[in-house]
Amino acid sequence: MVKVLKIGGSSLGNKRRVRNVADIIANSWSEGVILAVIVSAVGGITDQLLNCAHTAENNGELAKEKINKIRRKHFDVFAEELKEETTLDQVNRLLDELKDLLKGVSLVRECSPRTLDLVLSFGERLSAFLMTALLRHKGLNAEYVDARDLVITNSNHGNARVLKDETYNWIQYKINKPKIYVITGFIGSNKDGITTTIGRGGSDYTAALFAAALDSESIEIWTDVDGFMSADPRMVKEAFVLPQVSYEEAMEMSFFGAKVIHPQTLVPAIAKNIPVYIKNSFSAKMPGTLISPEIGRASCRERV
Ligand code: ADP
Ligand code: ASP
Ligand code: MG
């Protein structure tokens, strides 16, 4: 059996949240299951990396300070895991690589879209690597997967289009054992192996690609709200959770700005008829929202 979970950055903002998520992953695992866990960057880190890259174009020293802030955030959130030497070494190596890259940006005083994608990739590479270490500490059989080896895209940096057939072949080749694979969301690479990103919020889409390639029984999107809501709860106080919505309704809402899922997410899910659940990582017992072929308007009307 294959299951796919996606953990959003909003669920990785601090130590307590990260531990919560590790419990959710542990509870989803059972003997014989292939569990693909797609992980976003720690909350706010993608924006900070973006800011670092642009700062480096004008002020290399300030960019270095900003990298140190990113470093401190990871050391704060994953404090326990970073006590282990091999994990610490690997994270330091990644952060040094990021520093060198931004040094290069500050020398040429320009960050091209291609370089920016490489800079942004560090967010998901750090979080997925550290989440793997956390799960291993819990005694789980977890493997870190860099999606750049599997998700093949065109070269439209910043918003690359995924080449479905190649990507599905790589995913099926790599993800084939009953264990927990912790996979970087959002990033891929072009045919020459150059790092690309698939659009802001794109980890949801990464999860759907893995689910479709592996004929997963479901996709669970773990986020910071109780489900798909009638409106953005940050804007509309009266917004309520929709227990069930159709693929069509969910797609429409996400295209019109419901950030809770990336607009492209449902395309691979619909092709394989895979149900998508939106769940709150802060209250895992809440039922959340089921997005499936069935029409959910009735559940909407009942509440109005
Ligand atoms: P994650 O980091 O988990 O991917 P996002 O910030 O991308 O989380 O998406 C979750 C946010 O989407 C919620 O905090 C909420 O403010 C916003 N949102 C916008 N529209 C909706 C909606 N219709 N239903 C639920 N959440 C929504
Ligand atoms: N980390 C990326 C972003 O902030 C991708 C994602 O979170 O889905 O856009
Ligand atoms: Mg998101």
Side-chain angles (χ1 to χ4, degrees), residues 29-227:
W29 161 253
S30 59
E31 210 55 49
V33 170
I34 298 176
L35 184 58
V37 182
I38 290 41
V39 178
S40 293
V42 166
I45 292 296
T46 305
D47 285 335
Q48 289 184 41
L49 286 165
L50 196 59
N51 183 275
C52 268
H54 292 310
T55 303
E57 290 178 312
N58 300 308
N59 188 336
E61 282 310 305
L62 185 57
K64 256 195 228 161
E65 282 172 34
K66 291 188 174 182
I67 298 176
N68 284 335
K69 197 172 156 211
I70 290 174
R71 179 192 164 87
R72 280 198 297 278
K73 178 75 184 177
H74 287 89
F75 274 68
D76 183 32
V77 174
F78 291 96
E80 298 308 314
E81 291 61 52
L82 284 160
K83 283 182 189 146
E84 200 204 293
E85 209 176 306
T86 48
T87 308
L88 178 65
D89 285 352
Q90 184 61 23
V91 165
N92 280 335
R93 230 193 326 268
L94 272 175
L95 289 164
D96 287 346
E97 203 187 310
L98 175 61
K99 265 190 194 150
D100 288 347
L101 183 59
L102 290 177
K103 175 99 195 294
V105 169
S106 76
L107 288 173
V108 296
R109 311 195 72 173
E110 191 215 357
C111 187
S112 66
R114 168 174 161 167
T115 303
L116 183 60
D117 272 354
L118 183 56
V119 172
L120 296 187
S121 74
F122 283 86
E124 271 67 15
R125 286 157 68 193
L126 283 163
S127 62
F129 177 77
L130 285 161
M131 180 53 79
T132 311
L134 200 173
L135 295 173
R136 288 215 184 119
H137 272 183
K138 284 172 83 75
L140 294 160
N141 184 5
E143 178 181 336
Y144 168 70
V145 178
D146 187 330
R148 292 177 301 171
D149 296 333
L150 311 180
V151 176
I152 311 303
T153 71
N154 69 5
S155 300
N156 184 20
H157 289 283
N159 200 14
R161 187 170 54 78
V162 173
L163 307 178
K164 201 183 97 190
D165 293 343
E166 281 96 320
T167 298
Y168 283 15
N169 285 340
W170 279 114
I171 292 173
Q172 286 157 5
Y173 173 73
K174 168 75 190 166
I175 310 294
N176 56 13
K177 293 195 179 62
K179 57 154 101 169
I180 304 174
Y181 293 92
V182 186
I183 302 153
T184 55
F186 181 53
I187 63 176
S189 68
N190 69 12
K191 283 186 167 162
D192 299 321
I194 303 297
T195 301
T196 55
T197 60
I198 59 173
R200 293 301 305 270
S203 301
D204 300 327
Y205 183 41
T206 306
L209 291 165
F210 274 78
L214 299 169
D215 284 319
S216 166
E217 65 157 27
S218 61
I219 309 172
E220 292 177 11
I221 308 251
W222 288 88
T223 185
D224 64 348
V225 284
D226 280 339

Side-chain angles (χ1 to χ4, degrees), residues 232-290:
D232 185 347
R234 283 186 212 178
M235 309 287 186
V236 180
K237 204 165 54 33
E238 298 77 17
F240 55 85
V241 178
L242 304 168
Q244 194 176 348
V245 292
S246 68
Y247 285 140
E248 207 185 351
E249 290 165 327
M251 227 157 145
E252 220 172 86
M253 286 168 81
S254 70
F255 272 109
F256 286 107
K259 195 186 166 213
V260 68
I261 53 167
H262 184 275
Q264 269 169 298
T265 309
L266 292 170
V267 176
I270 292 171
K272 292 282 183 88
N273 233 355
I274 301 171
V276 181
Y277 295 87
I278 311 288
K279 301 269 293 174
N280 191 345
S281 65
F282 304 101
S283 43
K285 295 223 164 71
M286 294 295 283
T289 298
L290 166 62

